[in-house]
Amino acid sequence: MKTESRVSEKSPSFDPSDTQRIEISQPKEWAAGIPAVLSAYKNVTTKAGAIKGTRLLSDLNQIEGFDCPGCAWPDPLEKRATFEFCENGAKAVADEATTKRADAEFFAQHSVSKMRGESDRWLNDHGRLVQPMWLPEGASHYQPIEWSSAFEMIATQLNQLDTPDQAAFYTSGRTGNEAAFLYQLFVRKFGTNNLPDCSNMCHESSGVGLGETIGVGKGTVSLEDLEHAEAIFVFGQNPGTNHPRMLSSLQAAKRHGAKIVAVNPLDETGLKRFKNPQEVSGVIGSGTALRDLYLPVKINGDVALLKGLCKSLIERDSQHQPVLDHQFIEQYCHGFDEFKTDIEQTSWQDIEQGSGLTHAQIEEAADIACSSKKTICCWAMGMTQHKNAVANIQLMTNFLMLQGNLGKPGAGVCPVRGHSNVQGDRTMGIWEKPEPAFLDALEKEFSFSPPRANGVDAVETVHGMQKGDIKVLFALGGNFFRAMPDHQANDKGLSQCELTVQVSTKLNRSHLHTGKQALILPALGRTEIDTQESGIQTITVENSMGVIQTSHGKIPPASTLLKSEIDILAQLAAHTLKNDTIDWLALSADYRLIRDHIANVIPGFENFNQRIDELGEFVLPNGVRDARKFVTATGKANFVVHAIESVEVPKGCLLMMTIRSHDQFNTTVYTNNDRYRGIHGTRKVLFINRLDIEALGLKAGQHVSIRSHWPNDKAALREVSDFALVEYGIPRGCAAAYYPETNDLIPIGSVADKSNTPAYKSIVISLHA
Ligand SMILES: Nc1nc2c(c(=O)[nH]1)N[C@H]1C(S)=C(S)[C@@H](COP(=O)(O)OP(=O)(O)OC[C@H]3O[C@@H](n4cnc5c(=O)[nH]c(N)nc54)[C@H](O)[C@@H]3O)O[C@H]1N2
Ligand SMILES: Nc1nc2c(c(=O)[nH]1)N[C@H]1C(S)=C(S)[C@@H](COP(=O)(O)OP(=O)(O)OC[C@H]3O[C@@H](n4cnc5c(=O)[nH]c(N)nc54)[C@H](O)[C@@H]3O)O[C@H]1N2
Ligand SMILES: [Mo]
């Protein structure tokens, strides 16, 4: 066994590929069009090969094809285009279908310590993981291990724990419904609710906020609603990059006469103008202008803006313009009087100061709301990753409630999910705070007593590992180390674990920051044919709008040694839970049997197999959407009072958000370019207002170190270095940089109230030449 220190001198932010030529140009004025089609084909054919690549693109998002692993945007229920994909979905597929392999020889050549000094892009570029690998205690290199030995090792570790709560089981949102159901069942039979997931870092604030206001933690609109809305407000979202197929829906809405308002510190290209590559006019014409109004809100200025919007509507209504839907408020809502009083007492001065917008700009947005009978609010991470994120969500909902924009066609809330099945994983019970009714149904179906105490979420997992309370971390997909904030805290926690296990498709930094021993279990991807004892298997996913769809892998697996996630989980359960009443291996031999259990446990999945056999897909019930039914503490939709609370930014400091570039999928970096924002050759940039550059005595292009400041921070210094200043259209006092290179700047304790989501988009920073 080779040994060598596992500690690397280089910080994980080091990126050797940054040496390529750096070019900064003007941000683009339109999205998609021919460059997007070319980029899609180039990515798929260069990585997967011409024949396999073209095949993959034609199966993507088709009824008999596979669900795109890129994002959770829905596919049209009928009339799918021949090529129902986007540039970035194609990149995600190409990345999985790559012909490169990170095999045993690769791991023999590269020590863990050496790989720690490489960039995220370098790690991912080595291709698919093809066989189980083991990092023994004290070893410098991973070495191959048999599947059976790996399962035995995990089972032994788990069964040696003092209590099941000493293990945590993470999930990233690519996992399909069947695997998710099996996973939570195993974890609860093992005896814990420690099921942290990527939702904890993502839309948790939406779930918590919506749960309290309208009683359902999901969106209430369909694709059709979106296309027939009269006004669409897009808050804190960059769909041109992260949900490109949403642009087609926005285009359809525009053609039906909708007005679109973009609320964002950055005037994102995708919301300006869209050239639809599916249409001739998108190829040769000038495309469709999307947003009618752009509101350059300050980072975290949305609570103030939303209070301003509500104030304007309430003022207009009291001046005898029929603006509010009093009947809806009377019949379906609770807490309106208190809300109204609070809004009336909030001054325009505080609203302007808090939002960074003028009263006139807010009135312009209110004009659009008032002229619409059907309004939708869409949002993503710009709203959910702040200290007061839950307030953001609740005020958006309240803004809609004022005009009765819930539970009617063309109106409602639309949290746009990230990972392709993050919403489905929750529906299947991947949740550290399960509902009692769900546990009751599980108890009845499988005749056991599931644990009732809440488990740990993602942030609590890091605290737990640091304190020594959690000794085993098992991760079903994802990149827990890199996606979470505060690498120092996370590394300390992980290194104290007895065992860390990653079920993965590609190499990432979580394979390098491990427990005393570590395992990599390589899994089949969404694109690959999944053959089990009963034949070729189908899985299902739930998209952002509550539609259950099937997904069928189409290409041969990257290696004969790969196992499906379901097979891995079933084997793990069979090894760990001795003499169990459930025949786990029978479930993995035929996924239909898992769906039969889901049908018995989860409302809305009755006749699951039959419905997908006959229809291919079906829509889950949603009380708010279908019947204006609000299952909240008051039995009504709740208005909630929130104060304008701004993050304190000391003089000379800026408030920074962390964002995605056009060429990454979360922690997977494809290239160092961000075409729409005009960045080429580097990810180490800080977007900043020209006047702030001047005020700080700096120059555009200059390289600086970024330091973060947080009142309760116990760390000595949090700093990332060598970031080039890019003069950009962003409000004064605000800045932006890419995730994950900046994740170490965020202390693990800096989280959203109530949802405990890391405040990835409110980081107080200072710059140092
Ligand atoms: N190609 C691609 N697709 C993806 C992903 C990917 O990485 N790549 N990731 C997937 C996942 S998991 C997710 S969650 C989604 C993420 O999708 P997005 O939420 O669109 O992703 P972010 O880059 O985090 O963008 C946040 C947006 O919010 C804005 N913003 C930041 N702070 C504020 C604020 O305080 N107020 C307002 N109004 N706006 C603000 C930023 O300027 C940016 O436009 O995308 C999913 N789809
Ligand atoms: N600073 C900052 N940090 C953030 C965010 C931010 O906006 N700013 N966003 C947060 C958000 S919204 C999210 S969702 C998290 C993302 O957190 P995660 O979901 O944990 O991270 P990903 O980067 O999506 O995970 C990528 C890895 O998943 C594995 N993988 C891919 N496909 C499959 C599959 O089919 N099966 C299995 N088993 N493995 C697979 C591959 O090994 C790949 O390396 O990051 C969060 N972190
Ligand atoms: Mo996400």
Side-chain angles (χ1 to χ4, degrees):
M1 189 190 302
K2 298 180 208 166
T3 54
E4 181 186 304
S5 163
R6 258 191 244 164
V7 183
S8 156
E9 296 301 309
K10 291 169 187 161
S11 89
S13 314
F14 173 75
D15 187 346
S17 43
D18 269 358
T19 49
Q20 77 190 78
R21 204 160 74 95
I22 297 174
E23 261 179 39
I24 314 284
S25 53
Q26 287 299 313
K28 294 275 180 290
E29 287 303 312
W30 51 267
I34 291 291
V37 178
L38 292 179
S39 163
Y41 275 95
K42 187 174 157 221
N43 258 282
V44 173
T45 49
T46 46
K47 285 190 176 164
I51 297 170
K52 190 165 77 168
T54 311
R55 172 81 210 272
L56 280 168
L57 287 182
S58 60
D59 279 325
L60 189 45
N61 288 330
Q62 298 301 321
I63 308 257
E64 286 302 315
F66 55 90
D67 178 66
C68 181
C71 76
W73 191 254
D75 310 307
L77 286 176
E78 290 141 18
K79 60 172 185 14
R80 293 197 185 168
T82 320
F83 293 104
E84 191 63 50
F85 62 85
C86 70
E87 174 192 359
N88 281 351
K91 283 182 203 157
V93 167
D95 197 62
E96 183 173 297
T98 173
T99 49
K100 292 194 197 157
R101 302 288 177 256
D103 52 15
E105 202 181 316
F106 167 84
F107 283 102
Q109 275 169 11
H110 302 280
S111 69
V112 169
S113 155
K114 176 187 175 290
M115 290 193 283
R116 276 191 180 190
E118 302 291 352
S119 69
D120 297 298
R121 188 175 160 198
W122 185 95
L123 297 174
N124 181 64
D125 270 353
H126 284 87
R128 287 290 295 275
L129 296 160
V130 283
Q131 68 188 91
M133 301 297 299
W134 170 41
L135 186 66
E137 190 164 356
S140 59
H141 291 68
Y142 272 94
Q143 62 191 54
I145 184 172
E146 296 289 326
W147 276 107
S148 55
S149 313
F151 291 130
E152 210 39 66
M153 189 184 296
I154 306 169
T156 307
Q157 280 290 347
L158 289 176
N159 287 323
Q160 269 173 7
L161 296 174
D162 298 335
T163 106
D165 289 332
Q166 287 181 333
F169 298 85
Y170 175 69
T171 316
S172 165
R174 264 197 202 173
T175 291
N177 288 331
E178 292 76 7
F181 185 82
L182 207 68
Y183 190 36
Q184 63 80 32
L185 178 62
F186 159 65
V187 170
R188 295 198 162 105
K189 281 217 99 177
F190 174 64
T192 179
N193 282 314
N194 284 349
L195 283 158
D197 68 350
C198 70
S199 209
N200 298 147
M201 313 174 203
C202 186
H203 265 292
E204 196 67 60
S205 309
S206 305
V208 172
L210 292 173
E212 286 179 1
T213 46
I214 61 168
V216 47
K218 300 182 183 181
T220 66
V221 299
S222 67
L223 212 48
E224 211 187 346
D225 288 325
L226 199 86
E227 295 180 2
H228 291 90
E230 291 175 2
I232 301 170
F233 284 71
V234 183
F235 284 92
Q237 192 197 346
N238 179 19
T241 284
N242 298 311
H243 307 91
R245 283 181 305 125
M246 179 174 167
L247 301 187
S248 309
S249 300
L250 293 178
Q251 182 187 42
K254 284 292 293 186
R255 288 179 175 163
H256 290 122
K259 291 261 193 296
I260 297 174
V261 181
V263 183
N264 201 311
L266 303 178
D267 194 5
E268 302 284 21
T269 300
L271 288 169
K272 291 187 197 165
R273 186 168 277 280
F274 171 53
K275 295 195 187 185
N276 191 337
Q278 314 278 1
E279 300 178 346
V280 177
S281 61
V283 176
I284 52 174
S286 59
T288 310
L290 292 182
R291 57 149 171 74
D292 296 271
L293 178 65
Y294 166 57
L295 294 179
V297 69
K298 285 201 310 204
I299 293 175
N300 200 26
D302 303 272
V303 164
L305 161 63
L306 283 157
K307 290 189 87 166
L309 281 170
C310 293
K311 190 174 174 74
S312 174
L313 298 193
I314 290 172
E315 281 177 356
R316 290 170 195 227
D317 197 69
S318 62
Q319 288 153 9
H320 308 293
Q321 280 183 42
V323 169
L324 305 191
D325 185 340
H326 290 284
Q327 203 201 329
F328 177 83
I329 295 172
E330 183 68 24
Q331 190 177 347
Y332 295 105
C333 303
H334 175 268
F336 176 64
D337 291 341
E338 213 182 326
F339 179 76
K340 185 171 172 237
T341 307
D342 173 68
I343 294 290
E344 283 169 347
Q345 286 171 354
T346 309
S347 71
W348 278 110
Q349 196 191 353
D350 287 350
I351 290 168
E352 288 191 323
Q353 206 185 359
S355 64
L357 300 167
T358 63
H359 185 173
Q361 282 174 306
I362 299 175
E363 291 295 349
E364 221 182 314
D367 285 344
I368 293 179
C370 288
S371 59
S372 158
K373 298 229 164 355
K374 304 180 276 183
T375 302
I376 289 176
C377 285
C378 300
W379 71 89
M381 297 303 101
M383 297 302 264
T384 63
Q385 298 176 333
H386 296 284
K387 178 162 190 300
N388 57 354
V390 170
N392 273 339
I393 310 308
Q394 298 194 328
L395 282 166
M396 265 186 298
T397 317
N398 289 172
F399 162 60
L400 290 170
M401 282 156 56
L402 287 178
Q403 295 184 286
N405 280 313
L406 282 177
K408 70 177 183 190
V413 288
C414 181
V416 183
R417 303 281 161 180
H419 268 297
S420 53
N421 198 40
V422 61
Q423 184 160 320
D425 290 346
R426 258 307 150 82
T427 308
M428 290 297 121
I430 302 285
W431 197 10
E432 76 283 357
K433 300 182 186 72
E435 299 280 359
F438 175 82
L439 296 180
D440 293 345
L442 213 56
E443 177 158 4
K444 190 160 161 250
E445 177 74 1
F446 296 102
S447 312
F448 79 110
S449 304
R452 296 276 166 170
N454 284 347
V456 290
D457 63 20
V459 166
E460 289 162 348
T461 297
V462 175
H463 290 309
M465 291 189 305
Q466 273 191 300
K467 282 193 277 178
D469 295 344
I470 292 172
K471 297 182 187 310
V472 174
L473 178 70
F474 183 97
L476 189 60
N479 188 357
F480 186 80
F481 172 78
R482 194 59 162 152
M484 283 293 283
D486 206 331
H487 296 142
Q488 301 168 27
N490 208 346
D491 186 45
K492 179 169 172 247
L494 286 162
S495 63
Q496 288 173 190
C497 284
E498 294 301 323
L499 174 68
T500 50
V501 185
Q502 297 285 329
V503 179
S504 309
T505 52
K506 303 290 292 284
L507 184 63
N508 66 45
R509 212 164 284 288
S510 295
H511 304 121
L512 312 177
H513 294 260
T514 65
K516 292 173 193 158
Q517 294 192 75
L519 287 167
I520 301 175
L521 307 182
L524 284 180
R526 192 67 76 72
T527 53
E528 291 167 323
I529 301 165
D530 180 354
T531 313
Q532 303 296 335
E533 233 173 86
S534 68
I536 293 178
Q537 305 295 313
T538 295
I539 63 152
T540 61
V541 294
E542 174 183 341
N543 68 32
S544 212
M545 293 180 177
V547 182
I548 302 297
Q549 299 172 319
T550 53
S551 180
H552 316 260
K554 287 288 170 183
I555 56 171
S559 147
T560 51
L561 289 172
L562 298 186
K563 285 188 184 297
S564 75
E565 288 186 347
I566 294 172
D567 192 9
I568 293 172
L569 294 167
Q571 300 265 4
L572 177 61
H575 278 81
T576 309
L577 310 172
K578 304 278 190 255
N579 307 318
D580 196 56
T581 48
I582 296 173
D583 185 350
W584 296 92
L585 300 182
L587 295 178
S588 65
D590 182 357
Y591 299 175
R592 297 178 69 88
L593 301 179
I594 306 177
R595 284 193 284 274
D596 285 338
H597 285 300
I598 295 174
N600 293 340
V601 172
I602 304 177
F605 285 85
E606 299 76 16
N607 305 319
F608 193 177
N609 277 310
Q610 191 190 336
R611 280 198 283 170
I612 59 166
D613 287 347
E614 287 170 9
L615 308 167
E617 57 197 4
F618 61 91
V619 185
L620 288 178
N622 181 310
V624 175
R625 185 195 62 212
D626 305 336
R628 289 192 158 170
K629 197 162 164 237
F630 301 100
V631 191
T632 61
T634 61
K636 293 194 164 187
N638 291 313
F639 281 100
V640 191
V641 170
H642 287 288
I644 300 173
E645 282 171 2
S646 303
V647 180
E648 205 175 314
V649 185
K651 203 164 178 298
C653 288
L654 303 164
L655 193 60
M656 184 178 88
M657 55 185 180
T658 54
I659 53 174
R660 292 157 170 79
S661 81
H662 195 62
D663 275 5
Q664 74 182 84
F665 187 88
N666 295 341
T667 64
T668 302
V669 175
Y670 305 132
T671 78
N672 290 346
N673 305 333
D674 191 2
R675 190 170 85 233
Y676 292 156
R677 299 198 185 102
I679 306 294
H680 292 271
T682 181
R683 291 175 51 84
K684 294 186 72 174
V685 290
L686 185 80
F687 298 96
I688 175 172
N689 188 297
R690 179 176 59 82
L691 298 174
D692 282 324
I693 300 185
E694 279 170 21
L696 293 170
L698 301 167
K699 286 204 170 61
Q702 185 176 346
H703 286 238
V704 296
S705 297
I706 309 173
R707 254 178 229 170
S708 68
H709 308 274
W710 191 61
N712 304 321
D713 200 1
K714 296 196 179 66
L717 177 71
R718 291 181 197 277
E719 184 176 89
V720 291
S721 54
D722 213 20
F723 278 62
L725 297 179
V726 173
E727 197 181 295
Y728 207 79
I730 184 168
R732 284 289 313 262
C734 298
Y738 297 126
Y739 133 69
E741 286 81 351
T742 43
N743 279 33
D744 207 22
L745 293 175
I746 309 157
I748 191 72
S750 174
V751 292
D753 300 332
K754 288 192 176 177
S755 66
N756 219 23
T757 296
Y760 293 116
K761 293 196 172 28
S762 292
I763 312 166
V764 177
I765 57 160
S766 59
L767 304 181
H768 303 269

